[in-house]
């Protein structure tokens, strides 16, 4: 699976930004997709995930209520809508893909994902 993330950039706190991730795989609709982020000098952390059908989503507490993850299986694409971002959301955002994650809990575990995109930088100014 090849993943291409895009949509990052500079955004003011309180604004909005939408990230996209396109997957080059014919069986995209069978994959759980996740967004992770890594801020400078910090470890990579979970942000959001969505199951194969889009019926189940999982969010980190830090973004719950502000970020929304969705997918379009016809376009092999997942999105992360970032509303009211904060300066502490500044990070490189990575999308990841994995098949056969059987539990909601597993969707939030970074080491369960084996396909990763290159990352897109999001900078939130105060």
């Amino acid at each position: 699976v090849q993943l291409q993330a895009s949509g990052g950039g500079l955004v003011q706190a309180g604004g909005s930004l939408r990230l996209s991730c396109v997957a080059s795989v014919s069986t995209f609709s069978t994959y759980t997709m996740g967004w992770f982020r890594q801020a400078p000098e910090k470890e990579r952390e979970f942000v959001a995930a969505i199951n194969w059908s889009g019926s189940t989503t999982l969010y980190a507490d830090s973004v719950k209520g502000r970020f929304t993850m969705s997918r379009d299986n016809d376009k092999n694409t997942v999105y992360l809508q970032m509303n009211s971002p904060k300066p502490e959301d500044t990070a490189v955002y990575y999308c990841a893909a994995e098949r056969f994650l059987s539990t909601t809990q597993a969707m939030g575990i970074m080491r369960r994902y084996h396909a990763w995109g290159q990352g897109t930088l999001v900078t939130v100014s105060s």
Side-chain angles (χ1 to χ4, degrees):
V1 180
Q2 290 191 332
L3 304 173
Q4 181 71 43
S6 63
L10 177 64
V11 60
Q12 283 193 328
S16 64
L17 195 68
R18 190 177 77 162
L19 306 184
S20 301
C21 175
V22 180
S24 299
V25 64
S26 61
T27 55
F28 176 74
S29 63
T30 66
Y31 281 79
T32 294
M33 300 295 294
W35 284 102
F36 295 79
R37 68 186 182 186
Q38 187 165 17
E41 301 183 357
K42 291 189 176 181
E43 294 186 351
R44 193 172 299 189
E45 65 177 4
F46 169 74
V47 175
I50 191 166
N51 74 334
W52 64 274
S53 67
S55 62
T56 301
T57 52
L58 181 69
Y59 297 96
D61 288 344
S62 59
V63 307
K64 201 173 294 183
R66 299 186 297 119
F67 292 6
T68 302
M69 187 172 183
S70 60
R71 69 187 297 157
D72 185 336
N73 285 343
D74 291 335
K75 296 182 178 179
N76 281 21
T77 302
V78 293
Y79 305 97
L80 184 68
Q81 180 66 43
M82 304 172 63
N83 293 333
S84 300
K86 304 175 182 179
E88 51 263 43
D89 294 320
T90 294
V92 177
Y93 283 72
Y94 299 90
C95 59
E98 185 60 46
R99 299 179 78 182
F100 309 129
L101 292 182
S102 58
T103 67
T104 303
Q105 182 183 22
M107 290 166 57
I109 300 175
M110 186 165 56
R111 66 178 183 271
R112 299 297 300 270
Y113 292 84
H114 294 93
W116 291 84
Q118 86 291 357
T120 186
L121 176 63
V122 173
T123 302
V124 184
S125 63
S126 57

